[in-house]
Amino acid sequence: MTMLKEPGRKYRPFPPIDLPDRQWPTRTIIHPPRWLSTDLRDGNQSIIDPMDAVKKNRFFDLLVEVGVKEIEVGFPSAGATEFDFISDLVRSGRVPDDVTIQVLTQSREDLIRRSFESLEGSPRAIVHLYNAVSPAWREIVFRMTREEVKQIAIAGARHLADEAARRPGTDWQFEYSPETFSTAELDFSIEVCAAVMDVLQPTAERPLILNLPATVEAATPNVYADQIEYFCRHLPNREAAVISLHTHNDRGTGVAAAELGLMAGADRIEGCLFGNGERTGNCCLVTVALNMYTQGIDPGLDFSDIDRVIETVEYCNQLPVHPRHPYGGELVFTAFSGSHQDAIKKGFEAQGARNDDLWRVPYLPIDPADLGRNYEAVIRVNSQSGKGGFAWVLEQGQGLKLPKRLQADFSRHVQRMADELGRELNGADIWDAFRAAYYLEAAPTFDLVDYEETRATDGTRLFAGTITVGGQTQKVSGRGKGLVSSVLATLRQTFGLELEVLDYTEHALAKGTDARAAAYLECALPDGAIVWGVGVDEDVATASVRAILSAANGAVARRA
C-alpha cells in the first residue's frame, strides 16, 4: 500500500459549521478556566503499563501540589485495581477540602452503581457519564437510531439521580459527555444534552458539566471553536451548564482547539500533564496554562519547579517528555544557532540594564527562571554556534566578559574543537580550550612567579619580577610610565619581544571584597599580527601582568 494520488476518493473534508456571525475570533482569553486532570484515567489507560497504586498516589499528590482542583481519579468499573485505589483514596482522607475527585462511567446501570460505590464516604465528588452519539457509532457500533441513543443518555442520567439520592451525605455533581461530539451532528448533541438536563434539573447555582470532546480530532481547530460557540448559543438553559472541553491531538492541534474553544465560550478544560493520552494524546494542561502565563494571566497552576513535575510524570507514566515539548522539554530554552545566541545574549544584557520587570528577551517567550530553570542551558555550543554562544557560556560559568574582538579571536579555537570532536561542547570543554589558547595554565614560555612595582623619583614605574622562562626561573626588570608599559619594556629589553597595546579592559569576576579580576589585552606585533592576552588573579594589577605574559606567550608561539 502507498499513499493515494487522489486521496479525495477515500477521504472527505470535514464540513464547515454554518455560523457566519461567529464571535470567537474577536475574543481573547482573559482568565483561566476550571482545570480537570484526567492523567489518572485517560492518561493511565493509554500507557503501556498502567500505574499501580503507588504511582497513582504519587501522581495524585503531584496534581494537588500543582494546584489542580478537579481530578478524574479513575474508571471504577474497569477492575479491582481502579476501584480499590479510588475507595482507598476516599477513606484515607488525603483529598484536600478544595479538591474534588471525579470518576468516569458508561451509561449502564450496573457500571453507574459501581462508580457510586467506589466513592462511598466522599464529602464531594463528580460522576462523569458518557455515551457515544456520532453517526459512525450509531450506525456501525451500536446499530441504533438517534432516539435509541438518546434514551441511553436519559436512562444513565436517571440512574445518576437515583444513586445520588441514596447517598445524601455526599455533595454530588454530575458531568455528561456526548462522546464523539466533534464528529456528531450539532443539533443531535444539543438534543441529547438538553434531554439529560431535563432529567437532572441543573440550575445556575448547581450546574451540570457538559463535556464536549474532540474524541478524534477531525478538523482544524477553528471548526471545533465554531462547534463550541454554536452549541453554547443553542443549548437551552445555558446558564445551568458548565461547558467543558476534552480535546485530542490527532491533527497536532489539541492545544489550539482548546484555546479557541475557550474563546468560543467554554468554561473548563480537561487534559493531561504534557499531553499524555490515547493515540497522539490529550490537550497538554502545562502548555495551555503557561501559554496564558506568558500573556500576563495567572493560570492558577504552579509549575515553578517544572523539572520535578517532569520527573514525577516520567516515573509514573514510564514515558519520556519530548526534549522539544513546549515549556518542559530539555531543549526548549536552548539556542545552538549563532545568530539566535547573539540575540538572546543581548536580550539578557538589556534585561539587566532596564528598571522594569517586563520580560523582553528574543527567542524566549517566558523567563526560564519562572519555571525553576537556570540560564546555563539557554545557550549551548556546537559547530553551528557563533561567538556569542561560547562567550555566554564563559560568562555564566566563569564570570568572564570577553571583549568583542577577543570573542572573534577565540571563536576559531572553538570551531576547530567542535569540528574535531563532532559533538556539542560543554562548559568544561570551552573553559579548557580558553585556558589553553591564552596560556592561563602551563604557560610554555613566560609564567609569573612574583613581582614588585615601585615608583621612581622621576615619576616612572619600575617593574621587578621573577618569572619562569621555558621552565627556568629568572629575575627581570623594566621601567615605564605605568605597570603595563614597564612590563612591556621588560619584555622588549630582556627578550627582544615587541608588543604594542591596542586595547586593554578589566573587570571583577564576582561581587565582594574577595572578588577576582580579569584583564584582557589586545596587542599588535611588528608584522601587524594581533595577539591577545588574558590574565585572572585576585588582584587586578597582577591580572594585568598575567595578561601581558599571556600575550607574550602567544607572540612566541606565532614565531615558532
Side-chain angles (χ1 to χ4, degrees):
M1 293 291 291
T2 60
M3 290 183 66
L4 303 175
K5 299 298 182 183
E6 298 181 53
R9 297 178 61 180
K10 187 173 184 178
Y11 303 100
R12 293 291 182 267
F14 198 89
I17 308 302
D18 184 16
L19 195 65
D21 60 339
R22 57 182 58 84
Q23 301 299 305
W24 64 261
T26 62
R27 296 174 183 158
T28 57
I29 298 172
I30 59 175
H31 57 78
R34 288 169 55 173
W35 304 102
L36 174 117
S37 162
T38 186
D39 287 276
L40 300 178
R41 197 277 302 171
D42 197 338
N44 186 52
Q45 73 185 38
S46 62
I47 56 180
I48 300 168
D49 296 311
M51 288 179 268
D52 57 19
V54 172
K55 289 179 178 176
K56 292 196 82 169
N57 276 293
R58 181 169 172 179
F59 211 127
F60 179 83
D61 291 340
L62 172 69
L63 293 170
V64 170
E65 183 180 338
V66 165
V68 181
K69 301 304 181 187
E70 297 177 26
I71 302 173
E72 193 165 63
V73 291
F75 203 144
S77 59
T81 300
E82 290 283 281
F83 185 95
D84 292 344
F85 166 73
I86 296 165
S87 58
D88 288 347
L89 187 64
V90 171
R91 289 195 299 268
S92 71
R94 290 175 48 240
V95 181
D97 292 341
D98 61 347
V99 171
T100 302
I101 58 174
Q102 172 174 306
V103 297
L104 180 71
T105 177
Q106 293 171 301
S107 187
R108 278 176 39 190
E109 182 178 4
D110 58 328
L111 304 184
I112 294 170
R113 182 181 307 112
R114 185 68 169 160
S115 299
F116 274 88
E117 289 170 353
S118 74
L119 296 166
E120 290 279 4
S122 179
R124 74 210 145 270
I126 302 170
V127 181
H128 180 185
L129 174 77
Y130 77 95
N131 67 300
V133 298
S134 69
W137 281 76
R138 296 196 311 262
E139 297 163 8
I140 299 172
V141 180
F142 301 140
R143 297 183 181 180
M144 289 183 173
T145 65
R146 284 171 54 145
E147 182 60 29
E148 289 172 322
V149 167
K150 183 173 73 172
Q151 289 304 319
I152 292 176
I154 292 172
R158 287 173 178 158
H159 293 314
L160 289 183
D162 291 345
E163 293 295 332
R166 295 189 181 99
R167 301 168 177 85
T170 298
D171 178 11
W172 296 106
Q173 301 176 51
F174 303 125
E175 176 174 348
Y176 173 69
S177 287
E179 182 72 351
T180 64
F181 164 84
S182 58
T183 53
E185 309 92 335
L186 276 170
D187 65 325
F188 184 55
S189 294
I190 293 170
E191 179 183 337
V192 174
C193 289
V196 170
M197 293 178 76
D198 286 343
V199 173
L200 297 175
Q201 292 295 301
T203 64
E205 293 72 32
R206 295 188 61 81
L208 169 67
I209 301 169
L210 292 176
N211 185 51
L212 307 179
T215 305
V216 175
E217 189 177 39
T220 51
N222 61 296
V223 173
Y224 184 67
D226 281 348
Q227 291 174 319
I228 301 304
E229 182 170 335
Y230 186 100
F231 185 95
C232 290
R233 285 197 201 180
H234 293 86
L235 178 71
N237 201 15
R238 165 66 178 92
E239 66 278 5
V242 171
I243 304 302
S244 184
L245 308 177
H246 186 119
T247 59
H248 280 81
N249 206 39
D250 298 273
R251 292 172 56 93
T253 56
V255 165
E259 291 180 325
L260 297 189
L262 288 178
M263 293 160 60
D267 311 295
R268 184 177 186 255
I269 287 182
E270 299 188 359
C272 293
L273 300 186
F274 302 107
N276 186 35
E278 301 241 37
R279 303 182 310 280
T280 54
N282 291 284
C283 172
C284 172
L285 298 185
V286 177
T287 303
V288 178
L290 293 178
N291 282 352
M292 293 180 188
Y293 183 83
T294 66
Q295 304 304 301
I297 300 168
D298 178 4
L301 300 180
D302 186 0
F303 297 109
S304 297
D305 189 355
I306 200 166
D307 287 336
R308 195 167 64 81
V309 175
I310 292 171
E311 179 185 356
T312 300
V313 171
E314 290 184 331
Y315 166 75
C316 293
N317 289 340
Q318 294 296 293
L319 292 172
V321 172
H322 194 280
R324 300 286 182 195
H325 192 98
Y327 300 109
E330 178 186 353
L331 297 176
V332 297
F333 299 125
T334 300
F336 291 101
S337 162
S339 60
H340 292 203
Q341 292 174 341
D342 183 63
I344 291 171
K345 182 173 180 292
K346 289 175 179 175
F348 273 112
E349 291 169 353
Q351 190 76 16
R354 288 204 309 272
N355 292 322
D356 60 66
D357 295 329
L358 186 64
W359 180 253
R360 291 181 63 204
V361 175
Y363 293 110
L364 296 179
I366 191 172
D367 185 350
D370 289 358
L371 305 180
R373 295 268 175 93
N374 60 42
Y375 296 144
E376 292 181 5
V378 170
I379 291 176
R380 290 161 61 175
V381 177
N382 61 18
S383 61
Q384 303 298 306
S385 304
K387 59 183 181 296
F390 64 74
W392 168 268
V393 172
L394 286 174
E395 181 173 348
Q396 295 299 303
Q398 306 299 329
L400 299 175
K401 299 178 181 179
L402 307 190
K404 290 290 187 184
R405 291 194 296 276
L406 177 54
Q407 293 178 26
D409 186 79
F410 183 49
S411 65
R412 56 192 172 89
H413 297 275
V414 176
Q415 188 65 51
R416 183 168 58 247
M417 175 184 284
D419 290 339
E420 290 174 353
L421 296 178
R423 61 168 172 81
E424 177 189 350
L425 303 182
N426 57 40
D429 294 328
I430 295 169
W431 178 229
D432 287 345
F434 189 81
R435 288 186 298 175
Y438 301 106
Y439 312 105
L440 271 65
E441 291 183 7
T445 305
F446 304 109
D447 199 7
L448 180 66
V449 177
D450 198 4
Y451 79 96
E452 279 188 355
E453 179 195 14
T454 58
R455 183 186 296 272
T457 56
D458 62 357
T460 59
R461 300 292 184 94
L462 177 66
F463 170 82
T466 303
I467 63 175
T468 58
V469 183
Q472 299 297 315
T473 302
Q474 183 172 339
K475 299 284 188 179
V476 294
S477 64
R479 188 186 300 270
K481 293 182 179 180
L483 177 60
V484 171
S485 61
S486 65
V487 178
L488 292 173
T490 300
L491 294 173
R492 182 174 60 252
Q493 295 163 8
T494 308
F495 304 105
L497 191 60
E498 294 280 352
L499 294 173
E500 180 188 356
V501 175
L502 302 179
D503 188 41
Y504 172 83
T505 57
E506 64 186 40
H507 67 82
L509 292 180
K511 297 179 181 178
T513 56
D514 59 347
R516 294 190 305 158
Y520 312 102
L521 201 70
E522 182 182 17
C523 298
L525 301 180
D527 62 0
I530 301 298
V531 293
W532 279 88
V534 178
V536 177
D537 198 89
E538 285 77 10
D539 173 66
V540 67
T542 304
S544 66
V545 174
R546 293 189 183 281
I548 298 167
L549 296 181
S550 168
N553 282 312
V556 171
R558 285 186 61 85
R559 294 192 311 195

